[in-house]
Amino acid sequence: MTHSSIRVALIGYGFSGKTFHAPLIRAIPGLELALVGSSDAAKVHADLPDITVVANPLAAATAADIDLVVIATPNDSHAPLADAALKAGKHVVVDKPFTLDLAEARALAATAAMHDRLLAVFHNRRWDSDFLTVRKAIDDGFIGRVTHFESHFDRFRPEVRDRWREGDGPGSGIWFDLGPHLLDQALQLFGVPDSITGNLATLRDGGRSDDWAHVVLDYPCRRVVLQASMLVAGGSPRFIVHGDAGSMIKQGMDGQERQLLAGMTPGAAGWGEDDDALIVHDAEGGPREIGATAGDQRLFYHGIVDALHGRAPNPVPPVQAIAVMACLEAAAKSARALRSVVPALSEAERAGYARG
């Protein structure tokens, strides 16, 4: 780094940039949010009055005196902006989904390697309390060998909103929005599946892209069910996990998004705490409660700082982003073809997620 602090340009100040990236970046020692790329300077300055705002996203991606570019723009601009930033010598963090397709993902990874730049994807849900709690319980053997793993990311939004995520453009729809979170968590636990069976649908009146997704990952002696919907009132269990020695349910979702929307500073008292216990049923009887592990999405950006200073590996390397993209594509292809699809990955790409 050329500065004592890593100077960051955040491109995009919509929901993700404003809610997640800006507060998390500003909470990390060693990171300095120096520039925001946005066409709405007034919106940015209402929160960050002293920040330089650049309207042209390409200019922001290649700005001089910037070390790290964070891309939180609509999905169809991820690859071109990341490519420009990498070729300008910047390190890059891309919000999920990494790209629109597998070819773009591989091309970006090659560009990062060619220019010896860090390239990472913002899989912040690895550091959610619900996932960390379930992962620890699996590792601790509370239910033995996992045979059925069910992960829900459900909401109740019956009205279709006028925004690109719910439009009919490239990269829109619930599967490309929430699927990367669901897939990354599953691959963290179990590695890349043998095949994927996907079912995507548009169920809301006036819907222009998929707003319901049901995807099954096939492993030897294990099935992983990923579910996302815009029409689930009252919520659903976040995780349901069955094993050969018991079962467990994690009902409540991680609260960091809610805390950020309420204006809490990351790291403040109560940050990431989760009062919703994991419920375990096993041979010892039950139900019994296991206290939840606190979440902390700041750890993603702490990991970026450590990687840039050579103290630790990239927290989400491109090979893992490629695997998620291959699984996203396989599920979408399966939904169209009405058959199971094998993710189009090499053995080296499959090995990016080492667990199995």
Side-chain angles (χ1 to χ4, degrees):
M1 297 292 97
T2 57
H3 313 278
S4 57
S5 292
I6 298 164
R7 290 173 58 82
V8 181
L10 169 61
I11 309 179
Y13 204 70
F15 178 77
S16 182
K18 173 183 169 70
T19 306
F20 291 99
H21 292 282
L24 291 171
I25 291 166
R26 298 183 71 206
I28 306 303
L31 290 182
E32 176 189 351
L33 183 57
L35 182 153
V36 172
S38 173
S39 60
D40 191 345
K43 178 182 179 182
V44 177
H45 285 146
D47 299 330
L48 308 168
D50 298 325
I51 291 290
T52 299
V53 179
V54 175
N56 185 320
L58 188 60
T62 58
D65 207 30
I66 289 295
D67 304 303
L68 173 67
V69 173
V70 176
I71 299 170
T73 53
N75 297 344
D76 59 356
S77 62
H78 286 185
L81 288 174
D83 182 73
L86 290 166
K87 289 176 178 176
K90 315 301 181 185
H91 303 286
V92 175
V93 167
V94 185
D95 208 326
K96 55 77 199 167
F98 184 30
T99 57
L100 291 181
D101 57 42
L102 187 54
E104 283 186 342
R106 286 179 171 140
L108 274 187
T111 300
M114 182 183 304
H115 292 271
D116 193 25
R117 298 291 89 181
L118 178 141
L119 174 63
V121 180
F122 186 59
H123 282 311
N124 56 317
R125 298 291 179 173
R126 292 185 181 188
W127 294 277
D128 277 4
S129 61
D130 46 34
F131 176 66
L132 292 173
T133 300
V134 167
R135 180 172 189 166
K136 185 177 187 302
I138 290 172
D139 288 346
D140 289 345
F142 284 129
I143 61 168
R145 178 178 62 84
V146 173
T147 56
H148 174 104
F149 181 89
E150 195 167 325
S151 178
H152 286 252
F153 215 133
D154 295 323
R155 296 164 169 167
F156 189 63
R157 295 178 180 169
E159 300 297 326
V160 177
R161 293 185 289 180
D162 184 17
R163 59 178 195 154
W164 64 264
R165 294 181 193 275
E166 298 180 49
D168 56 5
S172 61
I174 199 171
W175 179 238
F176 264 67
D177 184 22
L178 301 180
H181 289 317
L182 296 168
L183 282 166
D184 177 65
Q185 290 179 339
L187 270 56
Q188 283 280 296
L189 293 173
F190 308 118
V192 176
D194 294 339
S195 64
I196 297 179
T197 307
N199 190 338
L200 309 179
T202 305
L203 302 181
R204 293 179 298 173
D205 291 340
R208 297 161 59 198
S209 56
D210 56 272
D211 54 22
W212 180 91
H214 182 86
V215 175
V216 179
L217 311 185
D218 300 320
Y219 298 86
C221 303
R222 178 183 297 126
R223 293 295 180 266
V224 171
V225 179
L226 308 179
Q227 175 76 38
S229 175
M230 290 290 201
L231 289 175
V232 178
S236 55
R238 178 67 181 87
F239 293 104
I240 302 169
V241 192
H242 304 299
D244 60 7
S247 299
M248 57 187 177
I249 297 175
K250 180 66 172 73
Q251 187 74 35
M253 288 190 67
D254 176 88
Q256 290 172 89
E257 179 176 337
R258 183 176 64 252
Q259 291 176 330
L260 287 166
L261 286 169
M264 179 182 283
T265 300
W271 171 254
E273 292 181 1
D274 186 346
D275 295 329
D276 182 78
L278 181 72
I279 306 300
V280 178
H281 301 262
D282 57 22
E284 298 178 8
R288 62 190 176 108
E289 296 186 354
I290 306 295
T293 300
D296 192 352
Q297 294 180 15
R298 293 178 301 165
L299 292 175
F300 171 82
Y301 276 112
H302 278 301
I304 294 295
V305 171
D306 287 343
L308 289 177
H309 286 296
R311 298 191 292 258
N314 184 341
V316 188
V319 68
Q320 294 181 350
I322 288 169
V324 169
M325 183 54 57
C327 292
L328 274 175
E329 277 197 2
K333 183 177 179 180
S334 169
R336 294 191 300 269
L338 302 179
R339 60 177 177 83
S340 296
V341 172
V342 177
L345 292 167
S346 69
E347 287 303 313
E349 289 168 337
R350 282 178 168 268
Y353 284 94
R355 294 174 65 118

